[in-house]
């Protein structure tokens, strides 16, 4: 049970060696932008707590299980520098899932050859993820593999995948012209040319399009039919013996793709095409549908399609011919992290940059002003604590247990330890202490926990650490209502820790 995201990477597909450094750099940025964090345990002076740090690329790759936006852990996710593949286990259904899926999409975009992403066995619509990648990297990526024939053809080389192929919902690709072309090619190979034509007619009937209108128009459906009719007409009218017909039409088809610089009229004259072949190559000139042509030829001349396809596959794939009606999806429209995750700018303090594309609210800036006044007041009176490090660790532990997993960013903790006697840092922690023990925030934070009282003694969830927690969650965290998860206390404390960890923003507010 659960949600799993995977990729199918073709047996001959891989990320080119020269693209790997850029891919890994961008993958790290993607995971970080999506809120993926490494949780680092801190055990000092008899106190156990945790910090979080942006997921990083290490020598062997990446490995993490917490998402900052979702505020939750799932099973480990990462990347292998040895295999050059993203890997994952259960990913949930929120921001964790979205980020991991986008990482797989990035991998397919860098992969030469067949590759696609699917969730729980179903191929996904990749446009939204590709749009986020275009936003992150200022790119113009197009969705990859909207032509499912590339995947089908690659999978067909793996006998153990036969059952998987037969149960695949290839029609999920049919929403684009390229996808519809691929679905048609797969249908023709699996069911035969006549069945494919009937399928098209049924689709047109369902759409309310009279078949007579379709036959006299020039669209994808009519072009497909004209390719079939052109080959069959050639077979019926040619004066050559059938074996010679077969040799000639295959030779012409191969030449058409191997001589991409040759225009249609020039090609017709050079190869002395009759009317049937003229109709065929006019359609192929407009739209690239070689599988339909070969399948029709195979049926007409009683040949094994797969043997024929093996002979022609590389001819088609290596061809540089341009097809006017072979519509290509435009670059996916850019979508920001804020929009993708449906987050308010004020929830993205940690990611704020001076020249970034989102602005913090006026109400948040006023809160910053009030914090600065409290900070200045603390600085005037000074902070005097006997065991500074233990005091800070106790605050971190209290935040994690009293309000549930309010984490300190590792960089800020390390920065504090390196400046342990610096009154500026101590003042920030003193300010934090005031929030943690604020009565109103404590009351607000209780909504996620089991109420006090003997009647609630057997309710709630204990922490997985085995220790008696300060409070017991009323429900599993992943199903706790969003409004309760994002209560005023937790939002306030998370925003404060994000503020002090964002050095540039902290400098604007506190001066250092």
């Amino acid at each position: 049970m659960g949600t799993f995201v995977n990729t199918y990477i073709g047996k001959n597909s891989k990320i080119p060696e020269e693209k790997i450094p850029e891919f890994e750099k961008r993958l790290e940025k993607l995971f970080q932008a999506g809120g993926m964090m490494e949780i680092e345990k801190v055990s000092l002076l008899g106190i156990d707590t945790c910090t979080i740090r942006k997921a990083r690329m290490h020598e062997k790759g990446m490995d993490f299980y917490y998402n900052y936006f979702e505020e939750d852990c799932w099973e480990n996710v990462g990347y292998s520098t040895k295999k050059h593949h993203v890997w994952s286990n259960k990913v949930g259904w929120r921001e964790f899932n979205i980020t991991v899926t986008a990482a797989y999409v990035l991998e397919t975009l860098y992969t030469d050859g067949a590759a696609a992403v699917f969730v729980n066995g179903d191929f996904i619509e990749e446009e939204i993820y590709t749009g986020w990648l275009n936003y992150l990297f200022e790119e113009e990526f197009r969705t990859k593999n909207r032509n499912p024939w590339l995947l089908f053809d690659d999978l067909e080389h793996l006998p153990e995948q036969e059952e998987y192929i037969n149960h695949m919902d290839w029609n999920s690709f049919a929403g684009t012209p390229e996808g519809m072309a691929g679905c048609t090619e797969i249908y023709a190979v699996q069911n035969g040319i006549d069945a494919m034509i009937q399928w098209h007619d049924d689709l047109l009937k369902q759409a309310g399009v009279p078949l007579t209108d379709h036959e006299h128009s020039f669209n994808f459906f009519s072009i497909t039919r004209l390719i079939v009719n052109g080959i069959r007409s050639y077979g019926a009218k040619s004066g050559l013996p059938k074996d010679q017909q077969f040799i000639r039409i295959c030779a012409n088809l191969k030449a058409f793709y191997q001589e991409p610089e040759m225009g249609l009229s020039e090609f017709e004259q050079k190869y002395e095409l009759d009317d049937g072949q003229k109709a065929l190559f006019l359609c192929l000139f407009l739209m690239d549908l070689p599988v339909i042509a070969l399948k029709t030829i195979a049926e007409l001349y009683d040949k094994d399609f797969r043997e024929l396809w093996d002979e022609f596959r590389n001819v088609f794939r290596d061809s540089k011919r341009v097809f006017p009606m072979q519509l290509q999806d435009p670059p996916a429209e850019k979508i920001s992290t804020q929009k993708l995750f449906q987050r308010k700018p004020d929830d993205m303090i940690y990611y704020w940059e001076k020249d970034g594309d989102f602005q913090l609210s006026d109400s948040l800036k006023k809160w910053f002003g009030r914090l600065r006044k409290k900070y200045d007041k603390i600085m005037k009176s000074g902070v005097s604590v006997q065991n500074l490090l233990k005091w800070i660790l106790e605050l971190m532990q209290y935040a994690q247990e009293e309000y549930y997993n309010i984490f300190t960013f590792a960089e800020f903790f390390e920065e504090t330890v390196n400046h342990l006697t610096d009154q500026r840092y101590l003042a920030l922690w003193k300010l934090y202490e005031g929030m943690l023990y604020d009565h109103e925030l404590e009351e607000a934070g209780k909504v996620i926990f089991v109420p006090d009282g003997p009647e609630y003694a057997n309710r709630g969830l204990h922490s997985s650490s085995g220790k008696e927690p300060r409070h017991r969650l009323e429900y599993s965290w992943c199903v706790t209502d969003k409004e309760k998860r994002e209560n005023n206390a937790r939002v306030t404390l998370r925003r404060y820790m994000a503020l002090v960890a964002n050095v540039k923003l902290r400098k604007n507010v506190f001066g250092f």
Side-chain angles (χ1 to χ4, degrees):
M1 298 293 290
T3 304
F4 295 88
V5 186
N6 303 94
T7 49
Y8 171 74
I9 304 293
K11 66 172 187 175
N12 295 318
S13 304
K14 65 178 182 179
I15 301 175
E17 197 72 28
E18 67 275 10
K19 291 184 179 180
I20 290 174
E22 180 183 83
F23 167 69
E24 292 183 344
K25 183 178 180 180
R26 286 184 164 185
L27 182 67
E28 181 183 57
K29 180 178 179 179
L30 181 157
F31 279 136
Q32 292 180 353
M36 293 303 193
M37 300 276 175
E38 298 172 8
I39 293 182
E40 300 177 351
K41 294 182 179 180
V42 179
S43 296
L44 291 169
L45 304 176
I47 300 171
D48 295 325
T49 185
C50 295
T51 61
I52 55 175
R53 187 193 305 272
K54 286 182 179 179
R56 299 164 295 167
M57 189 71 70
H58 302 277
E59 182 180 353
K60 294 184 179 180
M62 305 181 77
D63 190 340
F64 50 84
Y65 53 85
Y66 178 76
N67 184 277
Y68 177 73
F69 292 114
E70 187 169 337
E71 295 186 72
D72 210 352
C73 300
W74 286 95
E75 295 181 2
N76 290 57
V77 170
Y79 170 74
S80 167
T81 52
K82 181 179 180 180
K83 297 181 178 180
H84 306 304
H85 287 311
V86 177
W87 56 269
S88 63
N89 297 288
K90 290 181 182 178
V91 296
W93 60 91
R94 297 189 180 103
E95 291 88 347
F96 197 107
N97 177 313
I98 294 171
T99 305
V100 173
T101 304
Y104 279 118
V105 171
L106 181 68
E107 181 178 341
T108 65
L109 289 172
Y110 271 82
T111 298
D112 281 354
V117 183
F118 52 95
V119 176
N120 287 345
D122 296 324
F123 286 110
I124 64 165
E125 289 289 345
E126 298 182 5
E127 187 167 0
I128 187 173
Y129 305 101
T130 309
W132 187 43
L133 301 179
N134 284 341
Y135 163 81
L136 288 179
F137 308 122
E138 289 297 318
E139 281 283 4
E140 292 191 348
F141 288 128
R142 292 174 167 83
T143 54
K144 182 173 182 173
N145 290 331
R146 297 320 300 161
N147 183 347
W149 173 261
L150 296 175
L151 302 173
F152 177 84
D153 180 39
D154 201 74
L155 283 165
E156 282 237 307
H157 287 78
L158 307 174
E160 68 274 15
Q161 297 290 344
E162 182 176 357
E163 184 177 352
Y164 183 67
I165 293 171
N166 292 335
H167 289 86
M168 186 71 69
D169 181 17
W170 298 105
N171 289 341
S172 62
F173 287 85
T176 66
E178 185 183 21
M180 186 62 197
C183 289
T184 295
E185 292 172 326
I186 293 171
Y187 197 96
V189 170
Q190 289 184 320
N191 302 284
I193 291 296
D194 288 336
M196 177 211 73
I197 291 174
Q198 185 61 53
W199 176 54
H200 277 184
D201 288 347
D202 291 343
L203 289 176
L204 291 166
K205 288 178 182 178
Q206 291 172 14
V209 178
L211 294 184
T212 53
D213 292 351
H214 147 65
E215 290 171 351
H216 294 288
S217 61
F218 211 60
N219 53 41
F220 170 75
F221 296 100
S222 62
I223 286 176
T224 305
R225 188 183 290 260
L226 284 169
I227 289 174
V228 174
N229 291 343
I231 294 170
R232 289 176 174 176
S233 174
Y234 164 76
K237 296 179 180 180
S238 175
L240 296 173
K242 293 201 73 172
D243 59 341
Q244 293 184 32
Q245 289 179 26
F246 172 74
I247 292 171
R248 183 181 179 191
I249 197 168
C250 286
N252 288 350
L253 186 62
K254 187 175 291 186
F256 178 75
Y257 280 88
Q258 289 178 329
E259 302 179 46
E261 71 287 345
M262 189 177 295
L264 185 59
S265 297
E266 184 182 358
F267 183 80
E268 289 177 353
Q269 293 175 9
K270 179 177 179 179
Y271 290 94
E272 300 177 350
L273 303 185
D274 57 24
D275 290 341
Q277 287 197 74
K278 285 181 180 179
L280 164 65
F281 286 103
L282 170 61
C283 293
L284 289 177
F285 177 78
L286 293 172
M287 182 171 284
D288 185 31
L289 290 168
V291 176
I292 301 301
L294 273 191
K295 178 62 175 175
T296 307
I297 291 171
E299 289 185 358
L300 182 62
Y301 296 102
D302 196 25
K303 302 294 183 180
D304 184 279
F305 167 77
R306 284 170 177 79
E307 291 182 4
L308 198 56
W309 177 251
D310 285 341
E311 179 184 342
F312 276 82
R313 176 187 290 105
N314 292 334
V315 173
F316 298 140
R317 289 192 174 183
D318 296 341
S319 176
K320 304 300 181 183
R321 183 172 284 280
V322 176
F323 307 91
M325 288 183 65
Q326 191 68 30
L327 301 178
Q328 186 177 29
D329 292 339
E333 183 177 353
K334 293 178 181 178
I335 179 171
S336 68
T337 307
Q338 179 187 340
K339 184 177 180 181
L340 181 69
F341 293 152
Q342 300 182 9
R343 289 285 165 177
K344 300 174 183 177
D346 293 0
D347 295 325
M348 301 181 65
I349 293 173
Y350 183 64
Y351 299 88
W352 177 89
E353 294 181 2
K354 184 177 180 180
D355 299 321
D357 63 351
F358 68 88
Q359 298 296 321
L360 303 176
S361 70
D362 291 339
S363 61
L364 189 72
K365 293 175 183 177
K366 290 179 180 178
W367 181 59
F368 289 166
R370 294 193 295 272
L371 291 175
R372 177 60 191 255
K373 289 180 180 179
K374 292 180 181 180
Y375 169 83
D376 289 341
K377 187 176 180 180
I378 294 172
M379 286 295 291
K380 286 183 180 179
S381 59
V383 179
S384 179
V385 178
Q386 286 188 342
N387 192 329
L388 293 173
L389 183 56
K390 184 177 181 180
W391 170 63
I392 290 169
L393 290 168
E394 287 175 341
L395 294 179
M396 293 166 59
Q397 185 186 59
Y398 187 80
Q400 191 175 331
E401 295 184 355
E402 183 72 19
Y403 296 94
Y404 192 74
N405 287 353
I406 302 297
F407 294 114
T408 300
F409 287 93
E411 292 88 347
F412 178 64
F413 175 69
E414 293 166 355
E415 195 179 352
T416 297
V417 171
N418 291 332
H419 301 84
L420 199 54
T421 59
D422 190 324
Q423 284 289 310
R424 296 175 301 171
Y425 289 91
L426 299 183
L428 293 180
W429 284 100
K430 193 68 177 178
L431 191 55
Y432 189 45
E433 181 184 52
M435 294 180 190
L436 290 175
Y437 291 98
D438 178 85
H439 177 71
E440 290 186 5
L441 291 184
E442 285 183 324
E443 288 299 312
K446 289 180 180 179
V447 296
I448 60 176
F449 297 115
V450 173
D452 295 330
E455 66 271 32
Y456 300 104
N458 296 319
R459 283 184 53 183
L461 302 170
H462 290 261
S463 66
S464 59
S465 65
K467 298 179 181 179
E468 181 69 21
R470 194 182 299 268
H471 297 291
R472 298 191 306 279
L473 285 173
E474 189 168 6
Y475 303 104
S476 174
W477 186 242
C478 67
V479 299
T480 299
D481 289 344
K482 184 178 179 181
E483 291 183 1
K484 290 185 176 182
R485 288 161 61 109
E486 297 180 2
N487 62 69
N488 184 52
R490 297 191 77 259
V491 168
T492 299
L493 296 171
R494 274 169 51 85
R495 288 179 176 178
Y496 180 74
M497 294 314 290
L499 166 61
V500 296
N502 186 328
V503 178
K504 293 180 181 178
L505 184 57
R506 187 183 75 204
K507 187 173 183 179
N508 286 351
V509 177
F510 297 110
F512 75 102

